[in-house]
Amino acid sequence: MQDFFAAVEAREHPWPAGRRDLHWHLLPPSVEQARKLLLDDFGELLRAPGLEAVPPRWLHTTVLHSGPRDSVTDQEIDAIVQEVREATAGEQPVELVFDRPTIGTVAISRPGRPGEAARRLWEATWRATQRVVGDRWPLIPEVYHPHITIAYAGSAAGTADRAILKAELSDTTGEEARIVFPALTLVEQWHTHHRIVWQPLATVPLGTPPAAL
């Protein structure tokens, strides 16, 4: 496998270690639920050499990676949040079914389906962000599919053998997991070469009726 964290630092629009970027996430409503549904059946797999397992409290489905926190004012953040509230008014809580893990080149993830409702949130948060900051930031990701990453390949990624990991995965009995996400959360997020963490800034509940005209 390849080092996920090195990859995000070297991509076309890099995200260097320690830089706090704004992200919109769907967060599981319970850390305990997330651990039980997403991780417990695959504990041995996630402890394989070269992998950095995601602790339950940091499990997330990214909706939009916006831009650096230090390139936007507090007033602009407030405006973005208000735009997102208005753009998502009437959207219902998002229910996703997460498949069994897939062994990628930089991470182990659980794809979510159906993607349509989450994709609408991706489109809505991007349009809302553009209305405030214009074209200051790139669209990340450029094509959206919901997923939850349960382990990243770290600095020792070369020791993670994908063929062996796939064989180990074939011996597990864990099934798909169903999670309902009741809100969008704006976070200030950074990585430290081996872990992704964040600080919440705002929550936009889903299922809020549109404002009366």
mmCIF file of all heavy atoms in Angstrom, residues 39-49 51-53 100-103 108-109 150-151 161-162 164-170 172:
data_model
loop_
_atom_site.group_PDB
_atom_site.id
_atom_site.type_symbol
_atom_site.label_atom_id
_atom_site.label_comp_id
_atom_site.label_asym_id
_atom_site.label_seq_id
_atom_site.Cartn_x
_atom_site.Cartn_y
_atom_site.Cartn_z
ATOM 1 N N LEU A 39 -16.388 -1.229 13.229
ATOM 2 C CA LEU A 39 -15.030 -1.676 13.527
ATOM 3 C C LEU A 39 -14.917 -3.051 14.163
ATOM 4 O O LEU A 39 -13.978 -3.798 13.858
ATOM 5 C CB LEU A 39 -14.345 -0.664 14.463
ATOM 6 C CG LEU A 39 -14.223 0.773 13.982
ATOM 7 C CD1 LEU A 39 -13.532 1.621 15.055
ATOM 8 C CD2 LEU A 39 -13.474 0.859 12.668
ATOM 9 N N ASP A 40 -15.838 -3.378 15.062
ATOM 10 C CA ASP A 40 -15.637 -4.538 15.936
ATOM 11 C C ASP A 40 -15.354 -5.833 15.192
ATOM 12 O O ASP A 40 -14.519 -6.638 15.628
ATOM 13 C CB ASP A 40 -16.842 -4.722 16.862
ATOM 14 C CG ASP A 40 -16.785 -3.812 18.072
ATOM 15 O OD1 ASP A 40 -15.837 -3.003 18.152
ATOM 16 O OD2 ASP A 40 -17.688 -3.886 18.924
ATOM 17 N N ASP A 41 -16.024 -6.066 14.086
ATOM 18 C CA ASP A 41 -15.852 -7.335 13.380
ATOM 19 C C ASP A 41 -14.534 -7.411 12.610
ATOM 20 O O ASP A 41 -14.177 -8.486 12.100
ATOM 21 C CB ASP A 41 -17.002 -7.555 12.389
ATOM 22 C CG ASP A 41 -18.316 -7.847 13.099
ATOM 23 O OD1 ASP A 41 -18.281 -8.433 14.193
ATOM 24 O OD2 ASP A 41 -19.374 -7.475 12.558
ATOM 25 N N PHE A 42 -13.813 -6.286 12.528
ATOM 26 C CA PHE A 42 -12.622 -6.255 11.682
ATOM 27 C C PHE A 42 -11.376 -5.827 12.456
ATOM 28 O O PHE A 42 -10.399 -5.360 11.875
ATOM 29 C CB PHE A 42 -12.865 -5.305 10.502
ATOM 30 C CG PHE A 42 -14.104 -5.644 9.727
ATOM 31 C CD1 PHE A 42 -15.280 -4.936 9.921
ATOM 32 C CD2 PHE A 42 -14.108 -6.702 8.833
ATOM 33 C CE1 PHE A 42 -16.434 -5.270 9.232
ATOM 34 C CE2 PHE A 42 -15.264 -7.045 8.140
ATOM 35 C CZ PHE A 42 -16.426 -6.330 8.338
ATOM 36 N N GLY A 43 -11.416 -6.041 13.768
ATOM 37 C CA GLY A 43 -10.320 -5.594 14.624
ATOM 38 C C GLY A 43 -8.970 -6.176 14.253
ATOM 39 O O GLY A 43 -7.962 -5.460 14.197
ATOM 40 N N GLU A 44 -8.924 -7.471 13.987
ATOM 41 C CA GLU A 44 -7.647 -8.096 13.654
ATOM 42 C C GLU A 44 -7.106 -7.550 12.338
ATOM 43 O O GLU A 44 -5.901 -7.291 12.202
ATOM 44 C CB GLU A 44 -7.811 -9.611 13.559
ATOM 45 C CG GLU A 44 -6.499 -10.350 13.345
ATOM 46 C CD GLU A 44 -6.661 -11.853 13.437
ATOM 47 O OE1 GLU A 44 -7.733 -12.325 13.882
ATOM 48 O OE2 GLU A 44 -5.705 -12.567 13.072
ATOM 49 N N LEU A 45 -7.975 -7.360 11.368
ATOM 50 C CA LEU A 45 -7.561 -6.805 10.081
ATOM 51 C C LEU A 45 -6.955 -5.418 10.254
ATOM 52 O O LEU A 45 -5.924 -5.091 9.658
ATOM 53 C CB LEU A 45 -8.775 -6.727 9.154
ATOM 54 C CG LEU A 45 -8.566 -6.086 7.786
ATOM 55 C CD1 LEU A 45 -7.760 -7.019 6.882
ATOM 56 C CD2 LEU A 45 -9.915 -5.766 7.137
ATOM 57 N N LEU A 46 -7.561 -4.590 11.105
ATOM 58 C CA LEU A 46 -7.121 -3.204 11.270
ATOM 59 C C LEU A 46 -5.820 -3.098 12.048
ATOM 60 O O LEU A 46 -5.179 -2.037 12.034
ATOM 61 C CB LEU A 46 -8.216 -2.392 11.965
ATOM 62 C CG LEU A 46 -9.561 -2.348 11.252
ATOM 63 C CD1 LEU A 46 -10.551 -1.499 12.022
ATOM 64 C CD2 LEU A 46 -9.404 -1.828 9.838
ATOM 65 N N ARG A 47 -5.411 -4.164 12.709
ATOM 66 C CA ARG A 47 -4.148 -4.156 13.443
ATOM 67 C C ARG A 47 -2.974 -4.638 12.587
ATOM 68 O O ARG A 47 -1.861 -4.790 13.076
ATOM 69 C CB ARG A 47 -4.268 -5.030 14.695
ATOM 70 C CG ARG A 47 -5.145 -4.416 15.784
ATOM 71 C CD ARG A 47 -5.059 -5.196 17.082
ATOM 72 N NE ARG A 47 -5.709 -6.496 16.975
ATOM 73 C CZ ARG A 47 -6.994 -6.712 17.228
ATOM 74 N NH1 ARG A 47 -7.773 -5.710 17.615
ATOM 75 N NH2 ARG A 47 -7.516 -7.923 17.127
ATOM 76 N N ALA A 48 -3.196 -4.846 11.300
ATOM 77 C CA ALA A 48 -2.138 -5.334 10.412
ATOM 78 C C ALA A 48 -1.014 -4.309 10.309
ATOM 79 O O ALA A 48 -1.237 -3.100 10.406
ATOM 80 C CB ALA A 48 -2.712 -5.622 9.022
ATOM 81 N N PRO A 49 0.229 -4.766 10.122
ATOM 82 C CA PRO A 49 1.368 -3.848 9.980
ATOM 83 C C PRO A 49 1.146 -2.859 8.843
ATOM 84 O O PRO A 49 0.593 -3.201 7.802
ATOM 85 C CB PRO A 49 2.535 -4.794 9.662
ATOM 86 C CG PRO A 49 2.126 -6.111 10.225
ATOM 87 C CD PRO A 49 0.631 -6.186 10.048
ATOM 88 N N LEU A 51 -0.803 -0.223 8.871
ATOM 89 C CA LEU A 51 -2.094 0.465 8.921
ATOM 90 C C LEU A 51 -2.216 1.316 10.185
ATOM 91 O O LEU A 51 -1.681 0.966 11.239
ATOM 92 C CB LEU A 51 -3.243 -0.539 8.877
ATOM 93 C CG LEU A 51 -3.378 -1.386 7.612
ATOM 94 C CD1 LEU A 51 -4.574 -2.309 7.749
ATOM 95 C CD2 LEU A 51 -3.513 -0.509 6.369
ATOM 96 N N GLU A 52 -2.927 2.414 10.061
ATOM 97 C CA GLU A 52 -3.284 3.268 11.189
ATOM 98 C C GLU A 52 -4.804 3.216 11.334
ATOM 99 O O GLU A 52 -5.531 3.867 10.588
ATOM 100 C CB GLU A 52 -2.823 4.706 10.953
ATOM 101 C CG GLU A 52 -1.338 4.878 10.721
ATOM 102 C CD GLU A 52 -0.502 4.677 11.975
ATOM 103 O OE1 GLU A 52 -1.104 4.593 13.072
ATOM 104 O OE2 GLU A 52 0.732 4.611 11.853
ATOM 105 N N ALA A 53 -5.289 2.390 12.258
ATOM 106 C CA ALA A 53 -6.729 2.242 12.449
ATOM 107 C C ALA A 53 -7.328 3.564 12.935
ATOM 108 O O ALA A 53 -6.713 4.297 13.715
ATOM 109 C CB ALA A 53 -7.022 1.132 13.434
ATOM 110 N N ARG A 100 -19.228 -4.123 3.418
ATOM 111 C CA ARG A 100 -18.012 -4.660 4.016
ATOM 112 C C ARG A 100 -16.802 -3.875 3.496
ATOM 113 O O ARG A 100 -16.861 -3.234 2.443
ATOM 114 C CB ARG A 100 -17.874 -6.146 3.672
ATOM 115 C CG ARG A 100 -18.800 -7.038 4.496
ATOM 116 C CD ARG A 100 -18.849 -8.454 3.945
ATOM 117 N NE ARG A 100 -17.534 -9.032 3.726
ATOM 118 C CZ ARG A 100 -16.781 -9.622 4.671
ATOM 119 N NH1 ARG A 100 -17.229 -9.680 5.910
ATOM 120 N NH2 ARG A 100 -15.609 -10.155 4.376
ATOM 121 N N PRO A 101 -15.701 -3.870 4.232
ATOM 122 C CA PRO A 101 -14.541 -3.057 3.844
ATOM 123 C C PRO A 101 -13.989 -3.421 2.474
ATOM 124 O O PRO A 101 -14.093 -4.558 2.009
ATOM 125 C CB PRO A 101 -13.514 -3.372 4.947
ATOM 126 C CG PRO A 101 -14.327 -3.820 6.118
ATOM 127 C CD PRO A 101 -15.487 -4.559 5.528
ATOM 128 N N THR A 102 -13.390 -2.419 1.845
ATOM 129 C CA THR A 102 -12.621 -2.621 0.624
ATOM 130 C C THR A 102 -11.178 -2.222 0.904
ATOM 131 O O THR A 102 -10.919 -1.237 1.608
ATOM 132 C CB THR A 102 -13.168 -1.787 -0.543
ATOM 133 O OG1 THR A 102 -13.139 -0.391 -0.177
ATOM 134 C CG2 THR A 102 -14.596 -2.182 -0.869
ATOM 135 N N ILE A 103 -10.250 -2.988 0.347
ATOM 136 C CA ILE A 103 -8.822 -2.751 0.560
ATOM 137 C C ILE A 103 -8.315 -1.884 -0.587
ATOM 138 O O ILE A 103 -8.135 -2.365 -1.715
ATOM 139 C CB ILE A 103 -8.023 -4.067 0.626
ATOM 140 C CG1 ILE A 103 -8.703 -5.088 1.557
ATOM 141 C CG2 ILE A 103 -6.583 -3.788 1.048
ATOM 142 C CD1 ILE A 103 -8.780 -4.668 2.995
ATOM 143 N N ILE A 108 -8.309 1.506 4.018
ATOM 144 C CA ILE A 108 -9.396 0.528 4.046
ATOM 145 C C ILE A 108 -10.675 1.306 4.347
ATOM 146 O O ILE A 108 -10.764 1.997 5.370
ATOM 147 C CB ILE A 108 -9.164 -0.559 5.104
ATOM 148 C CG1 ILE A 108 -7.889 -1.344 4.788
ATOM 149 C CG2 ILE A 108 -10.364 -1.501 5.174
ATOM 150 C CD1 ILE A 108 -7.572 -2.424 5.800
ATOM 151 N N SER A 109 -11.642 1.222 3.455
ATOM 152 C CA SER A 109 -12.868 2.000 3.589
ATOM 153 C C SER A 109 -14.093 1.110 3.483
ATOM 154 O O SER A 109 -14.022 -0.023 2.998
ATOM 155 C CB SER A 109 -12.937 3.082 2.503
ATOM 156 O OG SER A 109 -11.870 3.991 2.619
ATOM 157 N N ILE A 150 -11.863 3.285 7.669
ATOM 158 C CA ILE A 150 -11.651 2.688 8.991
ATOM 159 C C ILE A 150 -10.168 2.462 9.293
ATOM 160 O O ILE A 150 -9.810 2.159 10.438
ATOM 161 C CB ILE A 150 -12.451 1.376 9.149
ATOM 162 C CG1 ILE A 150 -12.063 0.347 8.083
ATOM 163 C CG2 ILE A 150 -13.958 1.667 9.092
ATOM 164 C CD1 ILE A 150 -12.758 -1.011 8.271
ATOM 165 N N ALA A 151 -9.310 2.624 8.293
ATOM 166 C CA ALA A 151 -7.860 2.558 8.531
ATOM 167 C C ALA A 151 -7.147 3.225 7.373
ATOM 168 O O ALA A 151 -7.555 3.088 6.216
ATOM 169 C CB ALA A 151 -7.376 1.123 8.678
ATOM 170 N N ASP A 161 0.527 -5.585 2.977
ATOM 171 C CA ASP A 161 0.382 -6.376 1.755
ATOM 172 C C ASP A 161 -1.108 -6.501 1.421
ATOM 173 O O ASP A 161 -1.866 -7.151 2.147
ATOM 174 C CB ASP A 161 1.007 -7.756 1.954
ATOM 175 C CG ASP A 161 1.064 -8.576 0.677
ATOM 176 O OD1 ASP A 161 0.020 -8.698 0.014
ATOM 177 O OD2 ASP A 161 2.139 -9.098 0.364
ATOM 178 N N ARG A 162 -1.541 -5.903 0.313
ATOM 179 C CA ARG A 162 -2.963 -5.894 -0.022
ATOM 180 C C ARG A 162 -3.502 -7.306 -0.249
ATOM 181 O O ARG A 162 -4.646 -7.600 0.121
ATOM 182 C CB ARG A 162 -3.217 -5.040 -1.257
ATOM 183 C CG ARG A 162 -2.965 -3.553 -1.036
ATOM 184 C CD ARG A 162 -3.264 -2.759 -2.285
ATOM 185 N NE ARG A 162 -4.687 -2.750 -2.570
ATOM 186 C CZ ARG A 162 -5.210 -2.640 -3.789
ATOM 187 N NH1 ARG A 162 -4.415 -2.566 -4.844
ATOM 188 N NH2 ARG A 162 -6.517 -2.629 -3.968
ATOM 189 N N ILE A 164 -2.537 -10.097 1.160
ATOM 190 C CA ILE A 164 -2.725 -10.732 2.475
ATOM 191 C C ILE A 164 -3.941 -10.127 3.182
ATOM 192 O O ILE A 164 -4.744 -10.849 3.793
ATOM 193 C CB ILE A 164 -1.454 -10.588 3.325
ATOM 194 C CG1 ILE A 164 -0.318 -11.428 2.722
ATOM 195 C CG2 ILE A 164 -1.719 -11.010 4.766
ATOM 196 C CD1 ILE A 164 1.009 -11.270 3.413
ATOM 197 N N LEU A 165 -4.083 -8.801 3.095
ATOM 198 C CA LEU A 165 -5.228 -8.153 3.736
ATOM 199 C C LEU A 165 -6.544 -8.633 3.134
ATOM 200 O O LEU A 165 -7.519 -8.866 3.860
ATOM 201 C CB LEU A 165 -5.114 -6.637 3.595
ATOM 202 C CG LEU A 165 -3.990 -5.967 4.395
ATOM 203 C CD1 LEU A 165 -3.867 -4.499 4.010
ATOM 204 C CD2 LEU A 165 -4.242 -6.104 5.892
ATOM 205 N N LYS A 166 -6.583 -8.807 1.824
ATOM 206 C CA LYS A 166 -7.802 -9.307 1.182
ATOM 207 C C LYS A 166 -8.103 -10.733 1.620
ATOM 208 O O LYS A 166 -9.271 -11.107 1.807
ATOM 209 C CB LYS A 166 -7.657 -9.221 -0.332
ATOM 210 C CG LYS A 166 -7.692 -7.798 -0.862
ATOM 211 C CD LYS A 166 -7.514 -7.770 -2.380
ATOM 212 C CE LYS A 166 -7.539 -6.346 -2.908
ATOM 213 N NZ LYS A 166 -7.391 -6.282 -4.376
ATOM 214 N N ALA A 167 -7.068 -11.543 1.789
ATOM 215 C CA ALA A 167 -7.269 -12.916 2.262
ATOM 216 C C ALA A 167 -7.818 -12.909 3.677
ATOM 217 O O ALA A 167 -8.747 -13.664 4.006
ATOM 218 C CB ALA A 167 -5.958 -13.697 2.189
ATOM 219 N N GLU A 168 -7.255 -12.029 4.540
ATOM 220 C CA GLU A 168 -7.741 -11.940 5.915
ATOM 221 C C GLU A 168 -9.189 -11.445 5.938
ATOM 222 O O GLU A 168 -10.012 -11.932 6.730
ATOM 223 C CB GLU A 168 -6.840 -11.011 6.721
ATOM 224 C CG GLU A 168 -5.439 -11.577 6.956
ATOM 225 C CD GLU A 168 -4.562 -10.620 7.732
ATOM 226 O OE1 GLU A 168 -4.991 -9.477 7.985
ATOM 227 O OE2 GLU A 168 -3.429 -11.012 8.075
ATOM 228 N N LEU A 169 -9.501 -10.487 5.074
ATOM 229 C CA LEU A 169 -10.872 -9.976 5.015
ATOM 230 C C LEU A 169 -11.853 -11.070 4.618
ATOM 231 O O LEU A 169 -12.970 -11.140 5.138
ATOM 232 C CB LEU A 169 -10.941 -8.814 4.025
ATOM 233 C CG LEU A 169 -12.318 -8.197 3.783
ATOM 234 C CD1 LEU A 169 -12.896 -7.636 5.079
ATOM 235 C CD2 LEU A 169 -12.240 -7.101 2.716
ATOM 236 N N SER A 170 -11.431 -11.951 3.712
ATOM 237 C CA SER A 170 -12.322 -13.017 3.259
ATOM 238 C C SER A 170 -12.666 -13.993 4.373
ATOM 239 O O SER A 170 -13.648 -14.737 4.271
ATOM 240 C CB SER A 170 -11.690 -13.767 2.083
ATOM 241 O OG SER A 170 -10.604 -14.571 2.513
ATOM 242 N N THR A 172 -13.333 -12.991 7.521
ATOM 243 C CA THR A 172 -14.160 -12.342 8.532
ATOM 244 C C THR A 172 -15.637 -12.519 8.194
ATOM 245 O O THR A 172 -16.007 -12.691 7.035
ATOM 246 C CB THR A 172 -13.859 -10.835 8.634
ATOM 247 O OG1 THR A 172 -14.232 -10.197 7.420
ATOM 248 C CG2 THR A 172 -12.384 -10.601 8.910
#
